[in-house]
C-alpha cells in the first residue's frame, strides 16, 4: 500500500471511530450533568467534602469553588514535589527546586502539562501517580464543569443558578473520566504500555552493555493524560517513548482518546440546549479546522523541504520508525488543537511551515476541538463573537440560542478572546527583549524565535507541548510561563462563568424572521472564518517572524 | 466584610477536602486497580516486554539498544539501530531538537550518510532517512525495512553466513503497518539480532 493511501485510511479510521463515539458519549455526558440522581459513591464523596450537591450556585459561588479547588491543587502538588525525597517511591530523586515546582504545580492544575523537568530523571512514582495524574483527572473535570455551567447559562431563564460545582466536578471524574480510563488503561497494557510500581531492572545486553529498563505506573497515567487532554508524559520523550506508546495501534488509540471528549461535548451541548443541530454546527466548525491542519502538516512533512530532511531523504529527524511521517503528523495536529500537548514526535524538528500550523492551532485558542471543556466553552465564546459580527452586518441586536447578546455579553466574550493573545505576545516580547530568551534557544535564526513563541502560545493556551529545544528550566521561564498558564486558564474561566450568570438571568428572546440560524452550515462557515481571522490577524506578524520566515526560506 | 471574603476559608477547606478525597480515588485506588488487572492478565507486557536469551534478560522488545564492540564503536557483526541522541540511555530520552533546515543538522546528516555508506559498503544514495536521523525517543527499537536490507550483505559477510539466509531473517522480522494502515513499516533490531545469533551459532 502506498504511504499516502495508508495515511488517508489512518485518518479515516480515526474519524470513523470518533463519529461512532460522538452520539453515545455526548448523550451520556448530557445525562451525567443533568441527572437529579447521585450514585452512592458520590454521596459518600459529598459527605467527605461537606458539600450539598443539590444546592444551585450563582456564578460567583461556582467560580469560588473552581478557584478554591484549583488553589488547593497547586498547594498540594507544590508540597509533594518540594518534599518528594521524604515520600515513599521517590526512586531516590531530589526535591524539585522552588521555581520548577511552582511551574509544574501550576502546569498540571491548569490542564497544561508543560514540563520543564524530565520525567525519568526527576519524578518518583508517588508524585506521578498520586499527584500529577490526579490533576490529570480533576483539572479535566474542572474544565468540563465550567463548560457545562456555561451551557446552562444558555438553557436557563430568569435564574441566578448555573449548577453545583462540586456535583459537576465529582460526576465528571467518577462517571466519565474514571470508567473510560480504567477500560483503556488495560487496553494500553495489553498493547505493551507498562504498569507496575517497581523501579525497573538493569539488564546486560547481548554485547555486554548495561541498560536500565524503567518501571512505573505508566498505563494508568498515559490514558488520562490523553483522555483529559493533559499531555504530561511519564517520560521525557512523552508518547514517543515505546513504554508509553508501543505501536501503531496504541498510537491511534491515544489520538482517539485525546480527541474523544472534546469532539463529543458539542453533542452534549446540543442535547442540553434541546437542538442537536446546534451541536452539529459547533463540531462541524471544529472538524473543518482540525482536518485542514492535518492535511497541511501531513503534506508538508511528506515533502520535507528542510535542507537536512532533503539531504537525509525524508523528515524522520525526531520521529519514530514505528509511527513514520503520517502518524506523527496526525498526532501533532491533534495534540496541538486539543490543548493536549502530548507528543509522539518532536515538533522542534518538524518542517518550518508545519511548526507554523502547530503554533496556529494553539493560538486559535484551543477550540478545534480544544481541551476537555475548555474547547467547548472557547468555541461557544467564538460563536457569540460570530453572532455579534453577523448582527453588525445587518444592523440588529444579535441573539444566540434565545439569549440577547447585549453590551455586557459582548464585553465579556471579547475580553475572553483577548486574554491568551495578550499573554502570548507580551510574554514572547518580554522573553525576546531580555537575554533569557536567546540564552535558552537551541536553534538559530527564525527557528530560535519560534521556540520562544511556541512556549508562550503553548503555556497561555494550556497546551503543554513545546519546541523542546528551548531550555525552559530557568527561573525566568518557569516563572513567566507559570504566570501565563495561570492567567490563560483562569481569566477566561472567570469571564465565561460571568457570561453564564449574565445569560441565565435573561428572559427568552422570541425567535423572529430576522434571527440568525445558528444550526446551519452557513453559521459553521461564519464560525470557522471568525476563529481563523481573529487569530490570524492577531498573530500574523509574530508567525511571519518565526515559522513563516523559516518555511519560506526552505 | 464582603460575603466572598467571609466565605473564603470555608470554600478553601471544601476545596482541599475535595482534592484529598479525589486523590484517594484517582491517585491511589485507580492506579492500584489498573496495576492489579495488568499484572493478573498481562504480566509480561506490564513489566516491560522483557526479552530473555541464555536464560537471562537481555533487553526489552520495545526499547532499542546499542550494538557496539568492545571499542564502543558499532560492531559490524550486528544489525545497527538508528542514531540516538542519548546513545540509547533510557535515563535521557528525547531527540536533538534541531530544526529541519538547521546547518548543524545538515552537517550531521551528511557525515552520517558517508559513515553508513562506508560501514556497509554501499553508495550514499542508497542510505535511507531513518539511518541518518535521530529518533524522537532516542530509544527507537526499530529501523526501516530499507535500512535492514541495506545491512544484509555486510552482516552476512562478517558472520560468514549466506546473504540469502540473512535476508530471510530480515524478511521474517519485517513488520508492515499495524492493521495494514497504522504507523510505519519496521524491523525490530533486537529480535532480528537474536535471530541472527541463533543462525550464526548453527
Amino acid at each position: 500500500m502506498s504511504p499516502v493511501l495508508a495515511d488517508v485510511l489512518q485518518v479515516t479510521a480515526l474519524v470513523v471511530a470518533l463519529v461512532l463515539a460522538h452520539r453515545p458519549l455526548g448523550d451520556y455526558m448530557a445525562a451525567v450533568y443533568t441527572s437529579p440522581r447521585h450514585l452512592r459513591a458520590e454521596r459518600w464523596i459529598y459527605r467527605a467534602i461537606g458539600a450539598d450537591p443539590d444546592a444551585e450556585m450563582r456564578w460567583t459561588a461556582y467560580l469560588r469553588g473552581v478557584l478554591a479547588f484549583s488553589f488547593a491543587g497547586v498547594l498540594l502538588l507544590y508540597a509533594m514535589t518540594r518534599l518528594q525525597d521524604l515520600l515513599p517511591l521517590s526512586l531516590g530523586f531530589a526535591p524539585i527546586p522552588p521555581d520548577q515546582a511552582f511551574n509544574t504545580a501550576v502546569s498540571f492544575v491548569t490542564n497544561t502539562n508543560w514540563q520543564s523537568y524530565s520525567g525519568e530523571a526527576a519524578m518518583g512514582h508517588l508524585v506521578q501517580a498520586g499527584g500529577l495524574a490526579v490533576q490529570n483527572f480533576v483539572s479535566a473535570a474542572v474544565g468540563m464543569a465550567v463548560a457545562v455551567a456555561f451551557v446552562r447559562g444558555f438553557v436557563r431563564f430568569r435564574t441566578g443558578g448555573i449548577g453545583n460545582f462540586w456535583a459537576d466536578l465529582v460526576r465528571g471524574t467518577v462517571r466519565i473520566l474514571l470508567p473510560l480510563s480504567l477500560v483503556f488503561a488495560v487496553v494500553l497494557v495489553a498493547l505493551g504500555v507498562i504498569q507496575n510500581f517497581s523501579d525497573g531492572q538493569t539488564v546486560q545486553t547481548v554485547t555486554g552493555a548495561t541498560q536500565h529498563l524503567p518501571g512505573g505506573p505508566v498505563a494508568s497515567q498515559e490514558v488520562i493524560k490523553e483522555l483529559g487532554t493533559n499531555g504530561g508524559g511519564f517520560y521525557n520523550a512523552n508518547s514517543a517513548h515505546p513504554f508509553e506508546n508501543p505501536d501503531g495501534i496504541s498510537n491511534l488509540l491515544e489520538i482517539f482518546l485525546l480527541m474523544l471528549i472534546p469532539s463529543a461535548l458539542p453533542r452534549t451541548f446540543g442535547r442540553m440546549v434541546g437542538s442537536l443541530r446546534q451541536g452539529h454546527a459547533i463540531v462541524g466548525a471544529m472538524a473543518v479546522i482540525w482536518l485542514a491542519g492535518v492535511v497541511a502538516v501531513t503534506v508538508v512533512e511528506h515533502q520535507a523541504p528542510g535542507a537536512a530532511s532533503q539531504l537525509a531523504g525524508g523528515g524522520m529527524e525526531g520521529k519514530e520508525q514505528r509511527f513514520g511521517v503520517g502518524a506523527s503528523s496526525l498526532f501533532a495536529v491533534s495534540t496541538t488543537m486539543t490543548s493536549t500537548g502530548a507528543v509522539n514526535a518532536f515538533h522542534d524538528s518538524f518542517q518550518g511551515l508545519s511548526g507554523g500550523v502547530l503554533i496556529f492551532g494553539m493560538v486559535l485558542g484551543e477550540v478545534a476541538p480544544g481541551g476537555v471543556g475548555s474547547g467547548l466553552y472557547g468555541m461557544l465564546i467564538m460563536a457569540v463573537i460570530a453572532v455579534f459580527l453577523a448582527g453588525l452586518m445587518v444592523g440588529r441586536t444579535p441573539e444566540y440560542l434565545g439569549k440577547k447578546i447585549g453590551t455586557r455579553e459582548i464585553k465579556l466574550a471579547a475580553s475572553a478572546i483577548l486574554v491568551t493573545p495578550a499573554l502570548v505576545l507580551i510574554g514572547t516580547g518580554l522573553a525576546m527583549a531580555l537575554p533569557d530568551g536567546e540564552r535558552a534557544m537551541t536553534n538559530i535564526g527564525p527557528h530560535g524565535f519560534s521556540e520562544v513563541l511556541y512556549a508562550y502560545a503553548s503555556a497561555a493556551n494550556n497546551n503543554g507541548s513545546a519546541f523542546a529545544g528551548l531550555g525552559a528550566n530557568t527561573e525566568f521561564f518557569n516563572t513567566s510561563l507559570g504566570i501565563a498558564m495561570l492567567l490563560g486558564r483562569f481569566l477566561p474561566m472567570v469571564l465565561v462563568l460571568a457570561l453564564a450568570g449574565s445569560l441565565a438571568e435573561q428572559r427568552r428572546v422570541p425567535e423572529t424572521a430576522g434571527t440568525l440560524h445558528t444550526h446551519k452550515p452557513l453559521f459553521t462557515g461564519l464560525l470557522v472564518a471568525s476563529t481563523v481571522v481573529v487569530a490570524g490577524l492577531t498573530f500574523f506578524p509574530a508567525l511571519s517572524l518565526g515559522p513563516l520566515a523559516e518555511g519560506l526560506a526552505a | 466584610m464582603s460575603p466572598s471574603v467571609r466565605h473564603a476559608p470555608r470554600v478553601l477547606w471544601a476545596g482541599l477536602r475535595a482534592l484529598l478525597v479525589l486523590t484517594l480515588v484517582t491517585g491511589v485506588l485507580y492506579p492500584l486497580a489498573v496495576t492489579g488487572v495488568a499484572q493478573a492478565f498481562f504480566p509480561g507486557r506490564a513489566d516491560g516486554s522483557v526479552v530473555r536469551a541464555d536464560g537471562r534478560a537481555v533487553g526489552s522488545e520495545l526499547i532499542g539498544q546499542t550494538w557496539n564492540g568492545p571499542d564502543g564503536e558499532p560492531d559490524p557483526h550486528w544489525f545497527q539501530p538508528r542514531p540516538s541522541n542519548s546513545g540509547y540511555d533510557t535515563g535521557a530520552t528525547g531527540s536533538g531538537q534541531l530544526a529541519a533546515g538547521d546547518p548543524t543538522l545538515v552537517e550531521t546528516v551528511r557525515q552520517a550518510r558517508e559513515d553508513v555508506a562506508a560501514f556497509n559498503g554501499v553508495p550514499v544514495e542508497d542510505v535511507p532517512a531513518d539511518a541518518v536521523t535521530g529518533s524522537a525517543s532516542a530509544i527507537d527499537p526499530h529501523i526501516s525495512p530499507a535500512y535492514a536490507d541495506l545491512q544484509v550483505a555486510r552482516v552476512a559477510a562478517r558472520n560468514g553466513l549466506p546473504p540469502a539466509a540473512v535476508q530471510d531473517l530480515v524478511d521474517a522480522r519485517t513488520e508492515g503497518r499495524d492493521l495494514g494502515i497504522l504507523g510505519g513499516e519496521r524491523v525490530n533490531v533486537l529480535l532480528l539480532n537474536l535471530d541472527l545469533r541463533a543462525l550464526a551459532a548453527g
Side-chain angles (χ1 to χ4, degrees):
Chain A
M1 188 183 297
S2 83
V4 174
L5 181 59
D7 287 355
V8 170
L9 291 176
Q10 180 163 248
V11 175
T12 308
L14 173 64
V15 171
V16 168
L18 288 170
V19 168
L20 288 178
H22 182 80
R23 181 190 295 208
L25 181 61
D27 289 351
Y28 173 70
M29 290 194 290
V32 164
Y33 289 110
T34 52
S35 160
R37 298 188 42 186
H38 306 292
L39 303 179
R40 190 182 310 174
E42 290 170 349
R43 288 183 190 282
W44 177 82
I45 293 174
Y46 298 133
R47 264 204 303 281
I49 298 174
D52 171 10
D54 295 312
E56 278 295 323
M57 289 177 165
R58 296 183 58 79
W59 76 268
T60 45
Y62 202 101
L63 176 65
R64 274 199 298 275
V66 169
L67 295 179
F69 181 71
S70 301
F71 183 63
V74 173
L75 285 187
L76 182 65
L77 211 44
Y78 183 84
M80 286 178 83
T81 49
R82 291 289 292 139
L83 302 172
Q84 92 158 322
D85 56 326
L86 306 177
L87 298 174
L89 297 173
S90 72
L91 309 181
F93 289 131
I96 307 297
D99 58 319
Q100 193 175 31
F102 162 75
N103 182 281
T104 304
V106 164
S107 175
F108 278 73
V109 170
T110 58
N111 200 254
T112 313
N113 293 30
W114 175 269
Q115 296 169 288
S116 73
Y117 63 89
S118 162
E120 64 262 29
M123 296 292 179
H125 293 340
L126 185 77
V127 172
Q128 295 256 32
L132 302 174
V134 169
Q135 283 301 326
N136 283 357
F137 276 98
V138 297
S139 69
V142 168
M144 290 155 73
V146 170
V148 169
F150 188 36
V151 174
R152 291 194 189 108
F154 287 105
V155 177
R156 296 181 177 183
F157 299 91
R158 318 281 315 261
T159 173
I162 56 168
N164 183 287
F165 170 66
W166 306 111
D168 291 342
L169 171 72
V170 169
R171 287 182 179 191
T173 308
V174 171
R175 296 197 206 177
I176 299 170
L177 298 172
L178 256 183
L180 285 170
S181 296
L182 275 169
V183 170
F184 287 109
V186 175
V187 175
L188 283 179
V189 174
L191 293 169
V193 180
I194 64 170
Q195 180 71 25
N196 58 60
F197 277 92
S198 91
D199 53 4
Q201 58 176 313
T202 301
V203 300
Q204 192 175 28
T205 70
V206 173
T207 60
T210 56
Q211 184 179 45
H212 181 68
L213 301 176
V218 177
S220 55
Q221 187 161 337
E222 187 71 18
V223 67
I224 188 61
K225 168 188 122 182
E226 318 292 3
L227 186 67
T229 63
N230 295 284
F234 197 93
Y235 303 110
N236 191 50
N238 209 297
S239 288
H241 197 296
F243 278 175
E244 289 197 25
N245 193 1
D247 66 9
I249 300 173
S250 66
N251 188 60
L252 196 77
L253 176 60
E254 290 181 14
I255 303 174
F256 170 76
L257 288 173
L258 63 87
M259 302 277 293
L260 180 61
I261 292 176
S263 65
L265 274 173
R267 171 86 183 187
T268 308
F269 159 74
R271 184 57 79 191
M272 286 177 74
V273 300
S275 164
L276 294 174
R277 295 176 69 189
Q278 296 286 354
H280 296 164
I282 297 292
V283 79
M286 293 171 165
V288 166
I289 297 172
W290 171 81
L291 192 60
V294 169
V295 171
V297 171
T298 305
V299 167
V300 175
E301 287 304 302
H302 271 297
Q303 288 181 341
S309 308
Q310 285 293 308
L311 183 61
M316 284 301 288
E317 175 71 22
K319 294 191 181 72
E320 296 285 286
Q321 183 61 37
R322 67 189 177 284
F323 305 140
V325 169
S328 299
S329 304
L330 180 59
F331 198 114
V333 174
S334 302
T335 195
T336 44
M337 288 200 185
T338 53
S339 99
T340 304
V343 294
N344 78 346
F346 278 99
H347 298 178
D348 218 347
S349 298
F350 273 40
Q351 308 300 317
L353 289 179
S354 304
V357 174
L358 300 182
I359 295 176
F360 194 65
M362 293 189 286
V363 299
L364 287 174
E366 297 294 11
V367 291
V372 284
S374 59
L376 179 62
Y377 67 69
M379 200 49 133
L380 290 178
I381 290 282
M382 279 314 302
V384 169
I385 299 285
V387 166
F388 172 70
L389 293 174
L392 285 182
M393 290 180 210
V394 295
R396 51 171 284 136
T397 307
E399 60 206 63
Y400 184 45
L401 304 170
K403 293 295 171 78
K404 202 187 299 178
I405 306 300
T407 314
R408 179 178 161 78
E409 287 75 25
I410 203 65
K411 276 183 184 164
L412 290 167
S415 305
I417 63 167
L418 285 176
V419 170
T420 57
L423 292 170
V424 175
L425 295 176
I426 293 172
T428 305
L430 193 63
M432 294 305 293
L434 297 173
D436 300 88
E438 196 177 340
R439 209 181 289 149
M441 294 173 192
T442 289
N443 280 279
I444 57 171
H447 197 82
F449 171 75
S450 298
E451 287 184 336
V452 175
L453 177 64
Y454 196 115
Y456 288 94
S458 173
N461 290 289
N462 299 139
N463 182 278
S465 66
F467 272 180
L470 190 75
N473 185 21
T474 65
E475 276 188 28
F476 173 79
F477 278 109
N478 278 330
T479 309
S480 65
L481 291 171
I483 292 169
M485 289 189 271
L486 270 180
L487 297 180
R489 174 75 165 177
F490 292 111
L491 279 185
M493 278 190 174
V494 170
L495 297 162
V496 161
L497 289 173
L499 186 52
S502 170
L503 292 169
E505 280 174 2
Q506 288 189 25
R507 64 185 74 216
R508 184 190 298 273
V509 183
E511 198 169 304
T512 67
T515 301
L516 176 71
H517 292 300
T518 53
H519 58 275
K520 297 267 177 74
L522 180 67
F523 181 71
T524 299
L526 183 65
L527 188 51
V528 170
S530 308
T531 307
V532 171
V533 168
V534 166
L537 290 178
T538 314
F539 287 99
F540 183 73
L543 287 170
S544 42
L545 287 175
L548 287 179
E550 182 195 348
L552 297 178
Chain B
M1 205 195 280
S2 78
S4 57
V5 176
R6 211 167 51 232
H7 287 153
R10 196 174 54 79
V11 180
L12 275 176
W13 177 227
L16 187 62
R17 283 197 289 180
L19 179 63
L20 293 177
V21 174
L22 291 175
T23 297
L24 177 67
V25 175
T26 64
V28 179
L29 300 179
Y30 161 72
L32 288 178
V34 174
T35 308
V37 175
Q39 292 290 340
F41 291 97
F42 309 103
R45 290 307 220 175
D47 286 335
S49 308
V50 172
V51 175
R52 304 180 70 83
D54 306 335
R56 65 182 178 87
V58 295
S60 163
E61 184 185 329
L62 299 175
I63 307 285
Q65 45 183 248
T66 56
W67 293 88
N68 295 338
D71 57 354
E73 294 297 313
D75 185 338
H77 290 90
W78 301 110
F79 284 94
Q80 290 296 321
R82 296 180 64 186
S84 160
N85 190 48
S86 73
Y88 287 87
D89 176 2
T90 57
T93 62
S95 75
Q97 308 292 345
L98 287 176
D102 183 81
T104 310
L105 185 61
V106 171
E107 178 53 27
T108 305
V109 169
R110 194 194 58 74
Q111 188 64 51
R113 274 163 61 85
E114 285 180 9
D115 292 349
V116 170
F119 191 72
N120 292 287
V122 298
V124 285
E125 298 78 49
D126 292 358
V127 177
D130 64 296
V132 295
T133 51
S135 63
S137 65
I139 50 174
D140 193 339
H142 298 111
I143 54 179
S144 67
Y147 189 29
D149 291 343
L150 179 141
Q151 302 187 54
V152 165
R154 182 253 304 161
V155 168
R158 287 303 185 119
N159 289 285
L161 293 167
V166 177
Q167 185 66 54
D168 286 346
L169 296 182
V170 170
D171 293 345
R173 283 290 173 199
T174 298
E175 303 167 55
R177 295 185 176 84
D178 296 295
L179 307 179
I181 57 172
L182 307 180
E185 296 164 340
R186 56 198 186 264
V187 179
N188 187 300
V189 179
L190 171 57
L191 299 182
L192 175 61
N193 276 334
L194 289 177
D195 290 349
L196 174 71
R197 198 174 71 136
L199 182 69

